[in-house]
Amino acid sequence: MPQAQVLRNRPGIRHEDWSQWPTIPLEQMESTFSVQQYIQNMVRHDASDVKKIVEVPEGQDRDLWRYELLRQVCQDLNNFVVLLEPECTASSCPEMKALEWLYLCAGHPNPQQCSALDYIIHTLDSATALLNSQKYFPSRVSIPPTSLKHFSNVTRRLYRIFAHAWFHHREVFTEFE
């Protein structure tokens, strides 16, 4: 009986070997988290092929695919914040703007103005909390129809992070891309 391959980076791994395990076709994955793992494999192998990454494979649940993509975007945006933080400070960006658009932060009891970086962190925190909520997303295998309404709200708020970076921190945006 063949031994199962461990798909993770071991302590002490060399930089050139980081995440260099083979991609397993989705239909051969048997994990509860197979959709997440497959999306992460596609991102790892070619993050620029966005069309392929967002395309729902035949036989896969469209809503589950969208859910896992939103979770992946939140994970990736956390890495983006690390790059953005030195440039996007409370003094350089006291408001969350994209050109003339001013966005109020929904991370408070009543929406209010925040510095751009605080807005970004609050948005990522609330999106992550929502997407990990057992109340709205009790399973990683299927998405309740009543929870689909949250996708557009999360997507809209995450888009604002990209818009701010594009219009106010183009160099950081380009580096991250």
Side-chain angles (χ1 to χ4, degrees):
M1 181 172 199
Q3 187 177 12
Q5 187 172 14
V6 178
L7 306 178
R8 68 173 183 236
N9 296 306
R10 298 282 187 190
I13 192 169
R14 294 186 320 229
H15 181 355
E16 60 270 12
D17 295 331
W18 186 264
S19 299
Q20 293 303 312
W21 53 82
T23 299
I24 298 172
L26 181 58
E27 57 275 1
Q28 292 179 13
M29 293 182 169
E30 296 179 4
S31 167
T32 304
F33 307 110
S34 59
V35 173
Q36 174 191 11
Q37 291 169 341
Y38 187 72
I39 289 170
Q40 288 175 345
N41 279 336
M42 288 193 304
V43 169
R44 182 173 40 85
H45 282 291
D46 187 3
S48 67
D49 193 354
V50 176
K51 185 174 182 178
K52 180 180 178 185
I53 294 168
V54 300
E55 185 178 322
V56 182
E58 189 174 322
Q60 287 300 310
D61 181 274
R62 178 178 174 263
D63 297 331
L64 178 63
W65 194 263
R66 289 170 47 204
Y67 168 75
E68 290 295 350
L69 283 172
L70 278 175
R71 292 183 79 250
Q72 184 65 41
V73 168
C74 286
Q75 289 177 16
D76 291 342
L77 277 173
N78 278 293
N79 295 326
F80 184 48
V81 170
V82 172
L83 289 177
L84 199 57
E85 190 174 16
E87 301 289 325
C88 186
T89 64
S91 59
S92 67
C93 299
E95 300 172 318
M96 179 60 173
K97 286 186 162 188
L99 287 179
E100 74 277 356
W101 293 94
L102 173 66
Y103 302 115
L104 298 180
C105 182
H108 306 274
N110 294 314
Q112 66 183 43
Q113 285 187 11
C114 276
S115 70
L117 187 61
D118 285 344
Y119 179 100
I120 291 167
I121 292 169
H122 295 160
T123 298
L124 283 173
D125 285 350
S126 64
T128 301
L130 177 69
L131 294 171
N132 288 316
S133 167
Q134 288 294 307
K135 178 179 177 182
Y136 298 110
F137 301 100
S139 167
R140 296 281 298 275
V141 178
S142 65
I143 305 301
T146 56
S147 296
L148 296 176
K149 64 185 176 194
H150 298 293
F151 288 178
S152 61
N153 188 32
V154 169
T155 303
R156 183 181 70 252
R157 292 182 190 285
L158 294 177
Y159 168 79
R160 293 172 180 172
I161 297 170
F162 289 112
H164 174 78
W166 175 259
F167 289 111
H168 300 280
H169 308 286
R170 182 81 51 98
E171 310 80 34
V172 178
F173 182 94
T174 303
E175 179 185 342
F176 185 72
E177 272 296 299

